[in-house]
Amino acid sequence: MKNDKMKQQYRVNEQIRVREVRIVGEDGSTVVPTRDALNMAREQGVDLVEISPNANPPVCRLIDYSKFLYQQKKRQKEMKAKQVKVEVKEIRFGPQTDEHDYQFKLKHAKEFLEEGNKVRAYVFFRGRSILFKEQGEVLLLRFANDLEEYGKVESMPSLEGKKMFLYLAPKKAGEKKKSQQARDREAVGVEAKDAARQQKPQPEADIDVEAPANGGLFANAKISADALKKLTETEE
């Protein structure tokens, strides 16, 4: 069926009824009368295939028609394979979703966005739960913030009937940036390392015996050891 449709797209040999055509090939192109082009095709044992009927004059190739159709089909298949198919994945919440369920759905949303799919998250309000629509909006905004590194918001939370929707699109490669939470965690880590570095005990040679209060526990331990040594020598 597909081959039949493809065959209908091109005119071949005697179906080409214009006065002249442009023959294209590896050596360039040339304009010749259609009758001469048909004779050339017969001599080479190939077909005269019209590939661009809207050109003036129409553009043709001297090629085996079956081979030509095969090449066209192969090219279309390759182009289709290169096309990125974007799907829309849904994530559903309730207005009072617990933390465990939230983290579970957040993980799936990250996977969807990393795969190049869009995410449509929504909060479904059942019955009187519509009274908690502000709570649902807060939930969706938190969801968008937690996914800042993976996707960008296409539309802010909006209520449609009993559902409040939030749309997220995946970020392109190289567009990802760290979320505010990630930046905060890194800042806390740097501060902790600095604090640990400042609290690191100095070498024994730098401890001031005359000022034990500044030497910390190690200075006190050294003073106690010296005092015990002197006491032992006195007793002897």
Side-chain angles (χ1 to χ4, degrees):
M1 183 66 69
K2 290 183 179 180
N3 287 337
D4 291 340
K5 290 182 179 180
M6 189 173 292
K7 286 181 180 179
Q8 295 174 6
Q9 295 178 5
Y10 305 99
R11 290 185 292 187
V12 186
N13 298 327
E14 284 74 14
Q15 295 176 353
I16 305 172
R17 298 179 180 178
V18 294
R19 187 174 61 181
E20 59 183 12
V21 294
R22 180 181 297 276
I23 304 296
V24 296
E26 296 179 356
D27 299 331
S29 66
T30 181
V31 177
V32 298
T34 304
R35 181 174 297 178
D36 293 347
L38 288 170
N39 290 333
M40 293 168 59
R42 293 191 189 98
E43 291 174 358
Q44 298 179 25
V46 293
D47 299 296
L48 180 67
V49 182
E50 186 183 61
I51 60 175
S52 183
N54 296 325
N56 187 20
V59 178
C60 297
R61 288 183 62 187
L62 298 174
I63 189 173
D64 182 271
Y65 190 41
S66 299
K67 182 179 179 180
F68 173 77
L69 291 178
Y70 172 77
Q71 291 176 344
Q72 292 297 106
K73 184 178 179 181
K74 183 179 179 181
R75 187 177 293 110
Q76 290 180 2
K77 187 176 181 180
E78 290 175 350
M79 291 177 62
K80 186 177 180 180
K82 290 180 180 179
Q83 292 178 349
V84 179
K85 186 177 181 181
V86 178
E87 297 183 7
V88 179
K89 302 290 187 178
E90 283 194 346
I91 300 290
R92 172 177 171 172
F93 293 101
Q96 296 178 329
T97 300
D98 60 44
E99 184 63 22
H100 180 269
D101 191 30
Y102 174 84
Q103 293 298 332
F104 178 78
K105 293 178 178 179
L106 180 66
K107 178 183 177 182
H108 280 287
K110 289 178 180 178
E111 294 174 353
F112 294 150
L113 292 170
E114 286 181 330
E115 292 171 356
N117 298 309
K118 292 186 177 183
V119 171
R120 177 170 62 187
Y122 67 93
V123 179
F124 180 70
F125 301 97
R126 188 188 305 274
R128 292 188 176 183
S129 64
I130 192 67
L131 299 174
F132 300 99
K133 61 181 181 179
E134 290 81 7
Q135 188 172 341
E137 183 177 6
V138 170
L139 175 65
L140 291 177
L141 290 175
R142 176 193 174 190
F143 191 66
N145 183 67
D146 290 344
L147 292 171
E148 181 184 5
E149 185 178 350
Y150 302 89
K152 53 187 177 182
V153 177
E154 284 193 329
S155 65
M156 297 300 287
S158 60
L159 186 64
E160 300 177 17
K162 294 184 178 181
K163 296 179 181 179
M164 180 175 288
F165 290 94
L166 170 74
Y167 293 87
L168 297 167
K171 286 189 175 181
K172 297 179 181 179
E175 188 182 352
K176 288 186 178 181
K177 64 178 182 179
K178 295 178 181 177
S179 64
Q180 186 60 45
Q181 290 182 343
R183 293 194 293 270
D184 291 344
R185 286 195 296 268
E186 287 189 358
V188 171
V190 171
E191 292 176 359
K193 289 181 179 179
D194 290 341
R197 192 178 298 111
Q198 293 174 3
Q199 294 178 2
K200 185 177 181 180
Q202 299 178 351
E204 186 174 321
D206 296 335
I207 297 176
D208 187 358
V209 179
E210 299 298 330
N214 294 330
L217 295 176
F218 288 95
N220 293 334
K222 185 177 185 303
I223 294 172
S224 299
D226 291 342
L228 180 60
K229 182 177 180 182
K230 290 180 180 180
L231 180 61
T232 304
E233 292 175 351
T234 302
E235 291 178 354
E236 290 178 352

